[in-house]
Amino acid sequence: MSSSNNIIDSATAGGGSGGKKNHNKYRRDKPWDTPDINHWEVTPWDETTGDTLSGGRLLEESSFATLFPKYREKYLREVWPLVTRSLDKYKIACELNLVEGSMTVRTTRKTSDPYIILKGRDLIKLLARSIPAPQALKILNDDYHCDILKIGGLVRNKERFVKRRQRLIGPDGATLKALELLTQCYILVQGNTVSVMGSHKGIKKVRVVVLECMKNIHPVYNIKRLMIMRELEKDPKLKDESWERFLPTFKKKNVQRRKPRQLVEENQKAATAAAAASRGGPAAGGAAAAEEGGTKKKKKSYTPFPPAQLPSKIDLQLDSGEYFLSERERKSKKLVEKQMASKEKSEEKRRAREMQFVHPSLLVGDDDKDEDETGGGIEVSAAAGVEKKAGSNATDDVERLVSKFAKKSGSKKRKSEEGSGGEIGDASDMIVGLDKKKKKKKDKKKKKDKKE
């Protein structure tokens, strides 16, 4: 072909007199690209149909390795013969290293399919992510593709991350099962990753749902959207139309949070103050405002300097000199302090008990009567009463109490004598007679003993 065919006129290149860019400048016709071609279709590698390498074999060896967790070692050891047999069909060598905890796949001289090594790499990745071997071996087919989504770093808070991951799985795995049915993919949530196996379109849908779930958008909304899309796909009339009018749009709602208790109380006070002001006029309003102003906390003055450091336990011991004492001396000091504290407490309790026997007139003086009526000065008057009792009037108070109790006991005796009458006298005579009889018997026994 001559070079003149590839030369383009400056007029056509410039796109006319307007000077606009012509984006179709280098575009050529593609007679092989027709509308009936399915670009998503993947034709499998088949040597019988003539799929061969130009040189006959691969020039260099390619290998991929991946690590696996310790808990997968036992399972991989059991399954490895099955993995080896499956990879031998595609002329791929594999190795399980239990010392390093790694799996390796590499090409051999007999490998004819150049892409199968990438399929082997995906296989060992899926096995390391806890996918069962029978399911993972399906990745060697050309119809299956895989993606491992890392969700560990999408949410900072650990508790929030666990909740959102559980939301993706759903109750008894219902949400995950619905997503698998709608996307025709195999999904496994394991630790900080989500492993997906299926077609390209299905994997793309799953990725959107998983990432939005980590952004606090519930998977149910996306599942509903996918269900509507699946129904719309069945209608051939809507093939070339926009589906936006059929799909639901879920807007994020800002739900008001509960107000803190202090804010609620302040609002209530403001409302009561406003009501009082409207009822009582400006005077009441001023009083309410003064009350509200009294309840408000004063703002602390800002200082750029940090507060002074509090002394530690060792600093306090050094100041008191306790740091240099022995363990025995420390214990004895603590014991003495404890005894002193107990003595003080017992003294206070004794004073309180004695206060019960002090006359109320002594507790409150003549000058402090007004304060006592209003409720103030009780403690001062009580202390004054205790001092008086300790002074010269203490003996008079004791004598007064003794005479008071004597009078009470005398009045009780009189009442009992008046109530019982002569019955009490007869009973006392009987008791005296019995005592005399007993004495006589004793004297007789003593005399008999002496005679014998």
Side-chain angles (χ1 to χ4, degrees):
M1 189 172 76
S2 63
S3 61
S4 61
N5 294 338
N6 294 331
I7 298 168
I8 297 171
D9 236 359
S10 60
T12 57
S17 60
K20 291 182 181 179
K21 287 185 179 179
N22 184 12
H23 294 287
N24 298 329
K25 179 179 175 182
Y26 298 106
R27 187 164 290 180
R28 298 286 182 269
D29 290 333
K30 298 174 184 175
W32 62 89
D33 191 5
T34 54
D36 60 334
I37 294 173
N38 184 11
H39 294 284
W40 288 100
E41 188 182 0
V42 179
T43 54
W45 182 271
D46 192 4
E47 292 181 4
T48 57
T49 58
D51 290 333
T52 54
L53 293 168
S54 56
R57 65 182 182 85
L58 297 170
L59 297 174
E60 295 288 338
E61 182 188 274
S62 303
S63 63
F64 292 98
T66 186
L67 299 173
F68 60 86
K70 186 73 176 174
Y71 62 85
R72 290 289 287 172
E73 185 179 319
K74 187 182 176 183
Y75 179 77
L76 289 172
R77 195 184 292 177
E78 293 172 359
V79 171
W80 200 249
L82 175 64
V83 175
T84 309
R85 286 196 301 273
S86 300
L87 288 172
D88 281 342
K89 294 175 185 177
Y90 299 96
K91 311 295 189 296
I92 294 288
C94 60
E95 182 187 348
L96 177 67
N97 192 337
L98 298 175
V99 178
E100 293 178 358
S102 65
M103 292 180 283
T104 311
V105 288
R106 62 171 61 86
T107 57
T108 59
R109 289 184 178 183
K110 295 179 180 179
T111 307
S112 60
D113 187 358
Y115 191 74
I116 197 66
I117 186 64
L118 299 177
K119 291 280 187 179
R121 177 200 62 183
D122 294 341
L123 171 64
I124 58 174
K125 276 187 180 180
L126 294 171
L127 287 170
R129 292 315 308 152
S130 300
I131 289 181
Q135 178 65 36
L137 287 169
K138 291 179 183 178
I139 199 67
L140 297 174
N141 300 330
D142 291 329
D143 300 332
Y144 276 85
H145 307 278
C146 75
D147 192 9
I148 296 171
L149 308 172
K150 294 179 182 179
I151 57 172
L154 298 177
V155 184
R156 287 184 181 180
N157 193 344
K158 183 72 176 174
E159 292 178 5
R160 199 173 291 167
F161 166 72
V162 171
K163 283 180 181 177
R164 289 182 187 178
R165 186 180 64 182
Q166 187 58 38
R167 195 183 295 165
L168 181 64
I169 296 165
D172 299 326
T175 309
L176 205 65
K177 190 68 180 173
L179 198 59
E180 284 180 349
L181 291 170
L182 288 167
T183 57
Q184 298 297 315
C185 292
Y186 174 84
I187 308 167
L188 180 74
V189 180
Q190 174 74 15
N192 293 332
T193 58
V194 179
S195 305
V196 190
M197 286 179 65
S199 62
H200 285 297
K201 287 181 179 178
I203 290 169
K204 194 176 179 181
K205 290 174 185 175
V206 172
R207 189 190 291 120
V208 170
V209 175
V210 170
L211 294 178
E212 288 195 351
C213 181
M214 290 295 122
K215 290 177 184 175
N216 203 20
I217 297 168
H218 205 283
V220 170
Y221 299 133
N222 284 308
I223 286 169
K224 189 176 181 181
R225 191 182 178 90
L226 290 170
M227 287 170 72
I228 294 166
M229 286 171 73
R230 190 175 67 172
E231 293 299 320
L232 292 170
E233 282 173 0
K234 295 175 183 177
D235 192 354
K237 294 177 183 178
L238 299 170
K239 189 178 180 181
D240 300 324
E241 292 184 20
S242 177
W243 293 350
E244 288 299 323
R245 57 199 172 105
F246 302 110
L247 299 175
T249 53
F250 302 103
K251 291 181 181 179
K252 194 173 182 181
K253 294 178 182 178
N254 291 326
V255 181
Q256 271 193 339
R257 294 184 179 180
R258 287 184 67 186
K259 291 181 180 178
R261 182 174 54 82
Q262 292 87 353
L263 195 64
V264 172
E265 288 176 359
E266 285 177 10
N267 292 340
Q268 286 176 355
K269 284 178 183 176
T272 52
S278 62
R279 285 198 303 271
E291 283 178 10
E292 192 180 345
T295 54
K296 281 185 179 178
K297 292 181 181 178
K298 290 182 180 179
K299 286 185 178 180
K300 293 181 180 178
S301 58
Y302 171 74
T303 54
F305 306 104
Q309 190 176 0
L310 294 170
S312 65
K313 192 176 179 181
I314 295 169
D315 292 336
L316 294 170
Q317 286 179 349
L318 284 166
D319 291 340
S320 63
E322 190 182 347
Y323 184 78
F324 303 103
L325 298 174
S326 63
E327 192 66 29
R328 190 175 177 183
E329 288 172 337
R330 283 179 197 166
K331 283 182 180 177
S332 62
K333 189 180 177 183
K334 281 182 182 177
L335 189 64
V336 169
E337 287 174 359
K338 202 173 183 181
Q339 287 175 353
M340 291 290 288
S342 66
K343 278 182 182 178
E344 286 177 5
K345 272 194 175 182
S346 61
E347 192 68 25
E348 285 177 7
K349 286 179 180 178
R350 187 181 62 76
R351 285 175 196 160
R353 284 197 302 271
E354 287 176 355
M355 289 286 287
Q356 295 175 3
F357 300 105
V358 179
H359 198 270
S361 62
L362 297 172
L363 292 174
V364 184
D366 297 331
D367 301 333
D368 300 331
K369 279 182 182 178
D370 298 332
E371 290 181 10
D372 188 32
E373 286 172 5
T374 55
I378 293 169
E379 292 179 0
V380 177
S381 59
V386 172
E387 285 175 5
K388 283 179 184 178
K389 188 184 173 189
S392 59
N393 295 331
T395 54
D396 298 337
D397 296 336
V398 173
E399 287 173 4
R400 198 181 300 149
L401 288 167
V402 169
S403 62
K404 190 177 181 182
F405 288 126
K407 284 175 186 177
K408 282 183 181 180
S409 62
S411 63
K412 282 180 182 178
K413 282 179 182 178
R414 283 172 200 160
K415 284 177 184 178
S416 61
E417 283 174 4
E418 287 171 3
S420 59
E423 291 175 4
I424 295 168
D426 297 338
S428 60
D429 293 340
M430 284 174 68
I431 291 163
V432 171
L434 287 169
D435 290 338
K436 285 180 180 179
K437 284 180 181 179
K438 283 180 181 178
K439 283 181 181 178
K440 283 179 182 179
K441 284 181 180 179
K442 283 181 181 179
D443 293 335
K444 284 179 181 179
K445 280 183 181 179
K446 284 180 181 178
K447 286 177 182 178
K448 284 180 180 178
D449 293 335
K450 285 179 181 179
K451 286 177 182 179
E452 291 174 357

